[in-house]
Amino acid sequence: MASIERTAYPRFKRHPSTDELEQIYTPTDDELSLATRQVREPARRLSFLLLLKGFQRLGYFPVVDDVPLAIMRCVRDALRLSGHARPAVLEPRTLYRYHAAIRRWLGVTAFRDRGMHVAARAMGTAAQVMDHPADLINASIEQLIKDKIELPAFSTLDRMARRIRALVNQRLFNRVLPR
């Protein structure tokens, strides 16, 4: 199993700097108007924007409860909500709708649509010259980002890397064995 720390799989920093909060996580006027059009209730609007800003940074939808407090405060302040406002707990149906709206806004394809094929092809190509699972995962992440496809869970990429690595190595062994 590859360690997530040894890969390029994006994660939140526990304590982002003030510059990062300002440049990366502060919603733009267009993003605020999108949230206003999509969501009526302020707590849900906060959740929506946390999903949007998290996706822009990570390439996948974070669990709203896992978003660092500093980022939540930054987005809450941009919405001009009180200091006691908390993100709403979203039902699966609402979460699905928000995800679809964010993907449309960003022009990103869901992983389930064609991501498996793109990631497998990138890993297969990389496995011809690389052997470490973290390198294969990084190759697939790079290609998924380039093709504007949502990143899957890290465990999905890890399982895929192990499987593709085993297949490529078996092919190489089968070619060398008769010689």
Side-chain angles (χ1 to χ4, degrees):
M1 178 173 184
S3 170
I4 194 168
E5 288 81 20
R6 297 189 65 179
T7 67
Y9 195 79
R11 293 171 293 147
F12 283 121
K13 287 184 179 178
R14 278 283 156 226
H15 304 285
S17 70
T18 306
D19 287 341
E20 287 175 318
L21 290 172
E22 206 173 286
Q23 295 171 3
I24 298 170
Y25 297 109
T26 301
T28 65
D29 291 338
D30 289 341
E31 292 166 347
L32 289 170
S33 65
L34 170 70
T36 303
R37 286 192 312 270
Q38 292 289 326
V39 185
R40 283 177 262 161
E41 185 183 320
R44 290 177 183 264
R45 194 172 295 150
L46 176 58
S47 296
F48 179 86
L49 282 171
L50 289 173
L51 290 169
L52 173 64
K53 298 312 284 182
F55 190 94
Q56 287 174 329
R57 177 71 173 131
L58 303 174
Y60 60 89
F61 291 103
V63 175
V64 174
D65 292 338
D66 293 345
V67 175
L69 189 58
I71 296 170
M72 199 258 312
R73 284 184 189 137
C74 175
V75 173
R76 184 181 61 205
D77 292 348
L79 284 169
R80 295 184 178 95
L81 298 176
S82 75
H84 301 294
R86 297 282 175 251
V89 176
L90 304 173
E91 298 173 15
R93 193 173 71 200
T94 304
L95 201 55
Y96 179 84
R97 219 172 17 113
Y98 290 179
H99 288 184
I102 291 169
R103 284 188 198 107
R104 271 192 313 275
W105 173 260
L106 297 174
V108 174
T109 305
F111 182 78
R112 69 178 173 275
D113 293 342
R114 60 183 252 260
M116 188 71 79
H117 177 70
V118 169
R121 188 176 61 233
M123 281 187 193
T125 302
Q128 300 297 320
V129 293
M130 299 178 197
D131 190 50
H132 198 279
D135 294 331
L136 304 181
I137 291 170
N138 288 342
S140 68
I141 289 171
E142 182 181 341
Q143 191 62 50
L144 289 168
I145 290 171
K146 182 179 174 188
D147 290 355
K148 295 189 87 171
I149 298 173
E150 177 182 353
L151 296 178
F154 180 78
S155 60
T156 301
L157 294 175
D158 188 44
R159 281 191 310 272
M160 188 184 300
R162 282 186 276 139
R163 178 74 178 131
I164 289 174
R165 182 174 171 237
L167 289 170
V168 169
N169 286 344
Q170 188 61 49
R171 275 192 227 132
L172 290 171
F173 295 151
N174 289 341
R175 286 177 57 197
V176 171
L177 184 65
R179 295 180 186 173

